[in-house]
Amino acid sequence: MATRFPHLFEPLQIRGALLKNRIMSTGHDTTLPVDGTVNDALVAYQEARARGGVGLIVLQVSGVHETARYTNHVLMATDDAAIAGYRRVGEAVHRFGAVLFGQLFHPGREVAEGEGGLQTVAFAPSAVPNERFRVMPRPMKPALIRAIVSGYGDAARRMQAAGLDGVEVVASHGYLPAQFINPRVNLRQDGYGGDLTGRLRFLREVIADVRAKVSDRFVVGMRMSATESDEQGLSEEESLAALSGLADSLDYVNVTLGNSASAGGAVHIAAPMSFRAGYVAPFAATVRQRLSLPVFVAGRINQPHDAEAILAARQADVCGMTRALICDPELPNKAARGAAEDIRACIACNQSCMGHFHRGVPISCIQNPVSGRELRFGAPAAATLHRRVMVVGGGPAGMKAAVVAAQRGHRVTIFEREKRLGGQALLAQLLPGRAEFGGLVTNLERELHTAGVDIRSDTAVDRDIVVAQAPDVVIVATGAVPYRPPMAGDGGLQIVDAWQILRETAEPGHSVVIIDWRADWIGVGIAERLAQSGRSVKLAVSGVTPGENMPLYVRDVAAATLHRLGVSVLPYLRLYGVDADSVYLQHVVSGAAVVLEAVDTLVLCTGHMADAALGDALEGIDAELWTIGDAAAPRTAEEAIYEGLKAGVAV
Ligand SMILES: Cc1cc2nc3c(=O)[nH]c(=O)nc-3n(C[C@H](O)[C@H](O)[C@H](O)COP(=O)(O)O)c2cc1C
Ligand code: SF4
């Protein structure tokens, strides 16, 4: 079949595994397992990706030894009882022609949480502390090293017995194998430390043990950070030297960047939208030039044309499109049948994928709330009764509800009072470094058109209009408006809200105080924007830190930007009042006053309140009535789109 993506759909044989295309879902911890074993939710999740046409799925990390439990949800491959679960995933994905590898994992000192809230004894090559999780590990005795080495091989044997096609040793992101390689983390004086040969011994033994316990057809690859992107982490030269020393024993190398051990290194584990698409590919290209091995790469490759360009330029042999597939599992099928424009592109917001992982809750996607919830929403039933559905409000909640209801066969009309659909997402995309957020609107608009929804923008709706339309169902998704908290005094200080700054309908003075109650994207984004324009900015936040409610890696990148721009951050403060040129704040714990003088402008990032006027006016109307998203209570786009899905499925 002629395709726009000839390189992407070229098969690749590696030992006994035939990849039907070059699209891979890299290993990613879904937090779906609850007791360390494969469950129905994980099978359904991976089956959906396989059905969507992906060539290779690498299953999330599996612990190879009892000391490998880095979270309370980690999958474990330490017992033959695990084989049955792996077999279920294997059968589910093989049915659709996808290849399945397992990830062999030991975190060493990178232990994020222990059982029952207790801190675990973490083991590492040496007693060198981890900065991010504040773990001081215990040096491994040789007997423990030997047990862990054979744990890798035993886990691989179990995965092969379950019918998987291969395994990937996780030596990336500063996990245990990388800790052995790293001369600043491995200070051992025995045969596992010292020069590169000594520091590679652990990995050599691991790979040899795996090979000894699997067949010749079984694939053995390795994941490695081309650079760990922080001072203590492996440099590019160190990683390349290690890879050169191991290449003869591997079937492929899966290149990534970053390091779990520091906030700066960890952002590369799932780089936010402020990193450009495909930014890891040049590092993969360097590895590919040095080694004669297939090289895989992942990192912000969210569209087939980006992957095609990377493959065509021979920067890599396989492209990981992990969040892209979380967001749209059908991406490969759509690209293959010439419908790439229908792909719901991932916007690298990290909100429901990595954001959920860090909160210890199952994976999902802000744009695709079916992800991780396949058992509940995977196959919405077609409507038996084709009803007339009127959606009022064209923000993310209303758009999603309209799409899903129309896909199920209802006759759907969506009304939006503004000229453009999108609601607050149109404002969110104006925050610095968040332009890609607007992709959420583009994707939903496309889905509205494809689903055949009748779109009436620039049309305000009141009760009379609803009555005249006589719908069977009304879905109120009218969103929210900025909330202005009561405060003491006035005295003429300029007070504006975040929406006015973003819409450029207010011109703040030079000395600005931002009061940030939500501790999310808005406060830090407004601070960045105003500081970039040369203003002096103080950011007073209600909690411990600005961005407390943001996905961690997005927050950490923002924290670095605010620091570079010289924004002064004031934690634990609430707004009390203002006068002509001062802002009065109060410490939220002690109640002590904090006075900021010589202020020109106070910017309120104090949240929103539901725009409930229409919902209230429709009380008692002769139609099924739903209120969703911010119109129900102001929250984020994630809840809005999820509630849109729920309403669309239920009507
Ligand atoms: C929720 C989540 C969990 C992840 N867990 C793992 C993991 O278990 N093993 C791993 O090697 N990488 C993990 N990663 C990193 C991904 O494999 C991948 O490298 C990353 O998402 C960047 O690729 P992308 O831009 O295509 O999403 C995780 C990523 C996400 C979003
Ligand atoms: S939540 Fe955001 S980053 Fe994660 S898959 Fe969805 S769109 Fe991509």
Side-chain angles (χ1 to χ4, degrees):
M1 178 179 41
T3 166
R4 279 165 64 192
F5 309 111
H7 297 87
L8 200 55
F9 290 98
E10 192 184 333
L12 177 68
Q13 183 84 45
I14 307 181
R15 286 194 187 251
L18 177 63
L19 279 58
K20 64 180 173 183
N21 60 46
R22 307 301 181 98
I23 305 173
M24 160 177 65
S25 169
T26 58
H28 58 286
D29 209 325
T30 59
T31 328
L32 289 167
V34 288
D35 62 0
T37 65
V38 171
N39 56 9
D40 293 350
L42 181 58
V43 175
Y45 175 84
Q46 294 297 5
E47 184 174 4
R49 268 97 211 131
R51 190 185 300 113
V54 69
L56 168 63
I57 292 176
V58 181
L59 199 60
Q60 64 193 84
V61 293
S62 291
V64 297
H65 186 266
E66 271 309 307
T67 54
R69 293 179 187 273
Y70 81 137
T71 68
N72 289 316
H73 294 86
V74 67
L75 212 52
M76 295 297 283
T78 46
D79 194 296
D80 283 358
I83 294 172
Y86 290 116
R87 182 173 294 127
R88 289 184 59 214
V89 189
E91 287 172 357
V93 308
H94 285 153
R95 217 175 295 134
F96 295 97
V99 165
L100 182 66
F101 297 167
Q103 268 195 333
L104 305 180
F105 178 69
H106 195 298
R109 62 179 183 163
E110 301 301 318
V111 176
E113 59 184 21
E115 198 182 349
L118 301 171
Q119 288 187 28
T120 304
V121 178
F123 290 90
S126 306
V128 176
N130 158 295
E131 181 178 273
R132 191 156 75 109
F133 303 120
R134 302 177 182 87
V135 167
M136 174 54 91
R138 187 170 166 188
M140 289 176 167
K141 297 271 193 312
L144 180 60
I145 295 177
R146 282 194 295 276
I148 291 173
V149 165
S150 91
Y152 279 90
D154 291 343
R157 173 182 59 73
R158 292 181 184 112
M159 290 177 182
Q160 180 176 262
L164 271 62
D165 307 285
V167 288
E168 178 175 284
V169 175
V170 181
S172 56
H173 301 127
Y175 295 122
L176 182 63
Q179 290 161 36
F180 270 100
I181 299 171
N182 188 329
R184 291 164 295 287
V185 180
N186 178 354
L187 309 178
R188 298 179 76 94
Q189 305 292 325
D190 63 7
Y192 290 99
D195 63 8
L196 182 61
T197 307
R199 286 181 278 116
L200 278 183
R201 179 176 161 191
F202 175 77
L203 256 173
R204 282 192 189 288
E205 290 184 0
V206 163
I207 297 165
D209 197 76
V210 170
R211 278 267 182 247
K213 291 173 180 167
V214 297
S215 76
D216 277 352
R217 291 179 60 76
F218 199 68
V219 176
V220 181
M222 190 174 93
R223 196 165 207 202
M224 183 88 189
S225 296
T227 153
E228 291 187 340
S229 322
D230 70 20
E231 280 189 8
Q232 196 191 52
L234 291 169
S235 67
E236 191 172 5
E237 274 316 307
E238 287 171 328
S239 289
L240 283 169
L243 282 170
S244 300
L246 296 165
D248 57 352
S249 56
L250 294 168
D251 295 326
Y252 74 87
V253 175
N254 182 4
V255 173
T256 180
L257 296 183
N259 185 358
S260 162
S262 70
V267 299
H268 299 281
I269 295 177
M273 66 178 80
S274 50
F275 289 83
R276 70 179 170 77
Y279 81 109
V280 187
F283 294 91
T286 305
V287 173
R288 199 170 181 274
Q289 278 160 14
R290 290 271 188 106
L291 313 179
S292 49
L293 274 180
V295 170
F296 303 179
V297 68
R300 290 278 282 122
I301 307 171
N302 69 340
Q303 289 278 19
H305 52 261
D306 290 329
E308 176 68 19
I310 289 167
L311 296 166
R314 302 190 183 286
Q315 290 180 300
D317 300 278
V318 172
C319 283
M321 304 185 74
T322 307
R323 285 171 292 174
L325 291 159
I326 299 172
C327 189
D328 192 346
E330 287 293 322
L331 178 152
N333 285 344
K334 289 177 181 174
R337 67 168 185 259
E341 290 70 22
D342 289 343
I343 290 168
R344 187 192 304 116
C346 164
I347 56 174
C349 66
N350 274 2
Q351 191 166 337
S352 326
C353 51
M354 195 46 104
H356 279 204
F357 170 74
H358 285 136
R359 284 159 50 201
V361 296
I363 194 165
S364 195
C365 171
I366 188 173
Q367 298 190 75
N368 179 23
V370 177
S371 263
R373 302 184 180 102
E374 285 77 10
L375 292 175
R376 182 169 171 200
F377 295 114
T384 44
L385 207 62
H386 294 179
R387 305 166 87 192
R388 296 187 59 218
V389 178
M390 180 175 183
V391 179
V392 188
M399 292 168 93
K400 188 70 181 183
V403 167
V404 177
Q407 284 171 339
R408 293 185 49 240
H410 293 305
R411 279 178 294 150
V412 184
T413 309
I414 185 166
F415 294 81
E416 164 57 42
R417 69 185 142 221
E418 302 292 335
K419 285 195 171 55
R420 276 203 63 196
L421 296 171
Q424 285 182 60
L426 297 176
L427 288 173
Q429 69 176 346
L430 300 175
L431 290 163
R434 291 190 66 79
E436 212 165 329
F437 203 81
L440 183 152
V441 179
T442 317
N443 290 334
L444 280 167
E445 277 178 324
R446 176 91 191 171
E447 290 175 35
L448 283 175
H449 286 292
T450 313
V453 173
D454 181 4
I455 301 169
R456 312 263 180 94
S457 49
D458 208 7
T459 309
V461 169
D462 58 17
R463 185 181 167 105
D464 291 345
I465 293 177
V466 175
V467 170
Q469 294 278 326
D472 302 308
V473 181
V474 186
I475 299 177
V476 177
T478 42
V481 292
Y483 172 68
R484 286 204 172 209
M487 66 186 95
D490 52 32
L493 182 73
Q494 184 191 27
I495 302 175
V496 303
D497 61 50
W499 288 22
Q500 290 172 281
I501 302 286
L502 292 172
R503 287 178 169 149
E504 297 182 350
T505 54
E507 180 66 21
H510 175 73
S511 171
V512 178
V513 171
I514 300 169
I515 181 78
D516 181 8
W517 168 70
R518 296 218 330 179
D520 64 3
W521 307 262
I522 300 173
V524 294
I526 297 288
E528 180 179 340
R529 181 161 163 161
L530 294 178
Q532 261 168 358
S533 64
R535 293 178 171 86
S536 158
V537 179
K538 292 189 172 68
L539 177 58
V541 63
S542 59
V544 179
T545 176
E548 204 176 313
N549 289 324
M550 284 160 71
L552 293 192
Y553 304 153
V554 186
R555 180 197 71 193
D556 294 342
V557 170
T561 306
L562 295 188
H563 184 257
R564 181 170 44 78
L565 290 171
V567 171
S568 159
V569 171
L570 310 169
Y572 283 113
L573 294 172
R574 70 167 70 98
L575 180 61
Y576 183 82
V578 295
D579 65 19
D581 62 358
S582 299
V583 174
Y584 298 91
L585 304 164
Q586 202 177 27
H587 195 276
V588 294
V589 184
S590 70
V594 175
V595 184
L596 303 177
E597 294 173 330
V599 178
D600 298 319
T601 305
L602 172 67
V603 183
L604 301 175
C605 297
T606 43
H608 307 104
M609 55 195 294
D611 184 346
L614 181 69
D616 292 345
L618 293 180
E619 287 285 325
I621 200 163
D622 182 23
E624 184 178 312
L625 191 60
W626 288 74
T627 303
I628 60 170
D630 276 12
R635 288 153 295 158
T636 76
E638 178 178 6
E639 291 80 13
I641 294 176
Y642 173 67
E643 288 170 11
L645 169 70
K646 266 195 357 184
V649 165
V651 295

